[in-house]
Amino acid sequence: MKLKMKYILAVFFSLLFLLLSCKNDNEKRMVENKKEIQKREVIFKNIQKGWVLYDTPVTEAAEKSMASWNEWRMFLAELAQKPKKTIGAFQQKSKALSKKAMALNDNIPYEYNKPQIKSRISILITKVRLLDLFIHLDNIPDKKVTLLVSEINLELVSLQRQMDKIVEKSKIPIEEGESELRRMMDTARAIPNTPVIDPNIPRVE
């Protein structure tokens, strides 16, 4: 009888210990989940606050090129649509931006199809793809994401200023050089085409 009682008590205390352990584990898990949710909320708020991309052309050349360069116009339109509500929306947006950025290599207008433009597009694509990579990590580095957003803005400005430089450079021969070239051509026409006479050749009078 005593052995049976001891056995029952042992089983009872074992079950009690097991229940308490499960309860502690559940409480720990709930605390950890709560911390994880709070962490994700902080990350989301930081990204939402720092996600300010330049979606409007900052130079006249960049604005005019929207009419002839469809990929450029579509990329700026994608930049203009800011994600809302969830981190998943920002992840989808970064993926879409990555595709639109890579498309900038297609159908570059003739006047901009130059190494200095292509190199800036390449850097811009790299920054956008890095943004897409970091925002899809399990532990999202929100500071790195917001830093990349600011770097993308810098590359956008650099690309557009380069467009302006190319346009301004193309105007130089018309505005400044053409009049000089015409003057030189007119002077050349004014010089009479007089034959050179060799004094040693006897002249017939």
Side-chain angles (χ1 to χ4, degrees), residues 5-23:
M5 195 67 183
K6 284 181 180 178
Y7 175 75
I8 292 170
L9 286 171
V11 171
F12 173 76
F13 283 116
S14 295
L15 288 171
L16 184 64
F17 178 76
L18 186 64
L19 286 169
L20 289 171
S21 296
C22 289
K23 186 182 177 182

Side-chain angles (χ1 to χ4, degrees), residues 17-189:
F17 178 76
L18 186 64
L19 286 169
L20 289 171
S21 296
C22 289
K23 186 182 177 182
N24 289 335
D25 287 343
N26 287 334
E27 286 177 354
K28 284 180 181 178
R29 198 174 292 110
M30 287 174 67
V31 169
E32 286 173 3
N33 287 341
K34 190 177 179 181
K35 284 181 179 178
E36 185 63 27
I37 290 167
Q38 289 174 341
K39 182 182 175 183
R40 284 181 173 273
E41 285 177 354
V42 170
I43 289 171
F44 171 73
K45 286 178 181 177
N46 288 341
I47 291 174
Q48 188 180 42
K49 186 179 177 182
W51 193 283
V52 182
L53 289 161
Y54 296 165
D55 53 60
T56 306
V58 295
T59 67
E60 186 180 352
E63 187 174 2
K64 286 182 177 178
S65 66
M66 290 175 71
S68 58
W69 192 4
N70 188 48
E71 288 76 12
W72 172 244
R73 185 175 68 254
M74 290 177 69
F75 180 66
L76 290 180
E78 195 70 55
L79 289 173
Q81 299 169 11
K82 185 175 179 177
K84 295 177 181 178
K85 295 182 180 179
T86 64
I87 198 69
F90 282 93
Q91 290 171 333
Q92 288 177 0
K93 173 57 64 176
S94 64
K95 189 175 181 180
L97 283 173
S98 185
K99 287 182 180 178
K100 293 288 193 301
M102 286 188 284
L104 289 173
N105 276 323
D106 302 329
N107 305 315
I108 300 173
Y110 175 77
E111 65 269 30
Y112 299 135
N113 198 1
K114 302 181 186 298
Q116 56 267 45
I117 290 290
K118 287 182 176 180
S119 65
R120 282 164 176 77
I121 289 173
S122 179
I123 295 168
L124 178 61
I125 289 171
T126 300
K127 299 289 183 184
V128 174
R129 292 189 73 180
L130 278 172
L131 175 68
D132 187 35
L133 173 67
F134 282 117
I135 206 166
H136 277 93
L137 294 175
D138 291 333
N139 293 317
I140 301 171
D142 50 320
K143 289 182 180 178
K144 184 63 179 174
V145 167
T146 53
L147 177 63
L148 278 166
V149 168
S150 64
E151 288 177 358
I152 287 168
N153 283 334
L154 290 174
E155 296 307 326
L156 279 166
V157 171
S158 176
L159 173 60
Q160 294 179 67
R161 283 180 177 165
Q162 189 59 48
M163 288 183 195
D164 244 23
K165 284 180 183 178
I166 289 170
V167 170
E168 290 304 313
K169 193 174 180 181
S170 69
K171 291 177 182 177
I172 292 172
I174 299 169
E175 294 179 353
E176 296 177 11
E178 191 178 53
S179 59
E180 292 178 11
L181 183 62
R182 281 180 179 174
R183 255 200 314 272
M184 287 171 67
M185 289 174 70
D186 290 339
T187 306
R189 287 195 196 101

